């Protein structure tokens, strides 16, 4: 297997040379296969979008200390933010669509390219856990709407009213000024995207959101779409997105970031380039998108279309006892 792959790479590189397409081709094919053995660098790391990423990462490291792996770090961090009724963009308390329904999207992915996702779900308090169940307990990757809710009930998840008084009041106020139009803006984009690396070198990622506020009923953003809002390649790294999902989906952003990393870009360079794709392909005055990436050795990077994007980064080497915690402003990255 390994020798036929090597032979293929050698031949492909020779062909690339005669075609004059040079070094990026050979770099692209020299990345380790996804089935490469995972070697822990002895470093554990977690990166999550926005200020709430600090608490999510703390929770992720608690899950690690309790014996969990990278996936457990992701699920624990995401659940903490989903449960915060004060947050207006994730889980309970999320702003509703223009008809007053809170509809949630989430996905999760591991280092072996297992993935699970749920979209357009109502009354489910922890879509990240439901997405993980889809990944681990079903033959599918994605469940939507009523079918996902039915599966949640089958799992014994109690239906929960997600529309808080605070969110309902904000929606009622919006109705008085909006003409019932969904509006694109650069303010409402506090989805949490999370990436984690455990001491054994396993990577995982997750993303959970109530999506764009006052969207049309039925609208699904990038956050539950594997390749758009999240992508993980255990041999390379992971990436996640926050901001206007339509721009991320149109450019398959997170997959792009990870592919660029697989071709040799640092997480920072890859996020920068994925942002340029958006800037080059559509007007960006009214939209914000931020990317966050974590390499398989724990290196981190992030970049956004406009200033104001930040992310939390925690790391700990096996030899160090304490977790280093930083909140990074990606505006100038
Ligand atoms: N990316 C999310 C969406 O488009 C929004 C956000 O980041 O808050 O649904």
């Amino acid at each position: 297997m390994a020798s036929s792959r090597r032979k293929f790479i050698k031949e492909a590189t020779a062909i690339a040379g005669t075609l004059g397409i040079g070094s990026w081709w050979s770099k692209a094919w020299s990345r380790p296969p996804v089935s490469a053995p995972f070697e822990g660098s002895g470093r554990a790391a977690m990166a999550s979008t926005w200020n709430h990423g600090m608490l999510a990462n703390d929770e992720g490291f608690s899950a690690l200390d309790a014996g969990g792996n990278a996936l457990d770090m992701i699920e624990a961090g995401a659940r903490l933010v989903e449960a915060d009724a004060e947050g207006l963009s994730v889980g309970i308390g999320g702003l509703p669509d223009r008809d007053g329904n809170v509809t949630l999207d989430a996905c999760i992915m591991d280092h072996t390219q297992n993935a699970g996702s749920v979209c357009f779900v109502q009354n489910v308090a922890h879509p990240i856990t439901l997405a993980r169940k889809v990944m681990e307990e079903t033959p599918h990757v994605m469940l939507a709407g009523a079918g996902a809710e039915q599966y949640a009930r089958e799992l014994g998840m109690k239906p929960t009213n997600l529309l808080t008084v605070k969110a309902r009041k904000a929606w009622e106020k919006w109705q008085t000024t909006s003409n019932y139009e969904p509006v694109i803006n650069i303010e409402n984009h506090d989805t949490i995207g999370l990436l984690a690396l455990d001491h054994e070198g396993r990577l995982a990622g997750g993303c959970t959101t109530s999506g764009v506020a006052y969207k049309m009923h039925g609208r699904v953003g990038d956050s539950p779409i594997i390749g758009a809002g999240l992508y993980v390649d255990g041999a390379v790294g992971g990436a996640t997105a926050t901001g206007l999902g339509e721009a991320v989906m149109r450019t398959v952003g997170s997959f792009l970031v990870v592919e660029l990393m697989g071709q040799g870009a640092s997480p920072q360079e890859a996020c920068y380039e994925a942002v340029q794709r958006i800037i080059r392909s559509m007007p960006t005055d009214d939209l914000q998108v931020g990317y966050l990436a974590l390499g398989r050795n724990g290196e981190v990077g992030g970049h956004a279309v406009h200033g104001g994007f930040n992310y939390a980064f925690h790391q700990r080497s096996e030899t160090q006892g304490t977790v280093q915690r930083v909140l990074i402003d990606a505006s100038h990255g």
Side-chain angles (χ1 to χ4, degrees):
M1 204 52 186
S3 86
S4 65
R5 186 172 188 277
R6 266 198 302 277
K7 191 164 164 265
F8 171 70
I9 292 168
K10 217 169 133 192
E11 285 169 7
T13 306
I15 295 167
T18 54
L19 293 174
I21 47 181
S23 65
W24 73 263
W25 170 273
S26 48
K27 261 197 206 161
W29 284 100
S30 64
R31 67 188 270 302
V34 169
S35 55
F38 293 95
E39 282 168 32
S41 61
R43 186 176 180 191
M46 190 161 175
S48 303
T49 55
W50 303 113
N51 292 347
H52 51 200
M54 290 300 278
L55 293 177
N57 290 357
D58 287 341
E59 193 73 359
F61 268 88
S62 299
L64 185 69
D65 291 340
N69 59 24
L71 265 181
D72 300 317
M73 295 169 80
I74 296 297
E75 185 182 3
R79 283 179 65 97
L80 184 89
V81 179
E82 286 175 344
D84 175 10
E86 289 302 306
L88 291 170
S89 50
V90 179
I92 190 163
L95 291 171
D97 65 19
R98 66 181 186 179
D99 300 326
N101 310 292
V102 181
T103 69
L104 305 180
D105 301 329
C107 72
I108 195 161
M109 190 165 187
D110 77 6
H111 63 290
T112 60
Q113 281 172 304
N114 283 323
S117 162
V118 291
C119 68
F120 189 51
V121 286
Q122 300 182 53
N123 305 311
V124 171
H126 290 294
I128 195 74
T129 297
L130 189 57
R132 185 168 179 179
K133 288 284 182 193
V134 171
M135 176 174 84
E136 292 179 338
E137 313 280 342
T138 82
H140 306 306
V141 168
M142 189 167 199
L143 291 181
E149 290 157 25
Q150 179 186 332
Y151 183 50
R153 284 194 301 276
E154 283 167 19
L155 292 167
M157 295 179 182
K158 224 172 78 212
T160 308
N161 174 21
L162 302 172
L163 185 64
T164 57
V165 172
K166 181 175 163 188
R168 183 171 48 75
K169 282 194 176 147
W171 169 63
E172 283 166 356
K173 185 161 173 226
W174 171 82
Q175 282 180 305
T176 61
T177 55
S178 69
N179 298 324
Y180 194 59
E181 294 286 344
V183 177
I184 288 176
N185 65 58
I186 66 169
E187 308 301 332
N188 166 41
H189 47 61
D190 286 355
T191 290
I192 186 154
L194 316 96
L195 303 163
L197 172 76
D198 64 27
H199 291 297
E200 273 76 49
R202 289 173 295 227
L203 275 163
C207 197
T208 179
T209 190
S210 52
V212 169
Y214 318 130
K215 60 197 174 187
M216 291 173 70
H217 187 57
R219 181 264 187 192
V220 170
D222 62 310
S223 304
I225 311 284
I226 299 300
L230 177 73
Y231 195 70
V232 176
D233 179 332
V236 175
T240 187
T242 177
L244 187 72
E246 282 74 2
V248 178
M249 287 190 277
R250 285 179 185 138
T251 52
V252 200
S254 292
F255 180 75
L256 175 61
V257 171
V258 174
E259 276 304 289
L260 290 167
M261 285 160 65
Q263 292 173 24
S266 68
Q268 185 67 40
E269 290 165 344
C271 291
Y272 179 85
E273 176 54 27
V275 164
Q276 301 317 304
R277 293 284 170 102
I278 292 175
I279 292 173
R280 287 199 292 267
S281 55
M282 61 194 86
T284 52
D285 284 355
D286 295 333
L287 73 87
Q288 171 69 312
V289 168
Y291 288 112
L292 174 62
L294 184 69
R296 69 171 292 188
N297 295 316
E299 61 282 19
V300 74
H303 194 67
V305 172
H306 297 285
F309 172 49
N310 64 6
Y311 60 88
F313 180 58
H314 291 31
Q315 61 174 335
R316 181 175 63 200
S317 75
E318 235 158 16
T319 49
Q320 289 169 328
T322 52
V323 178
Q324 295 169 304
R325 310 160 73 248
V326 277
L327 187 64
I328 298 174
D329 178 353
S331 304
H332 310 293

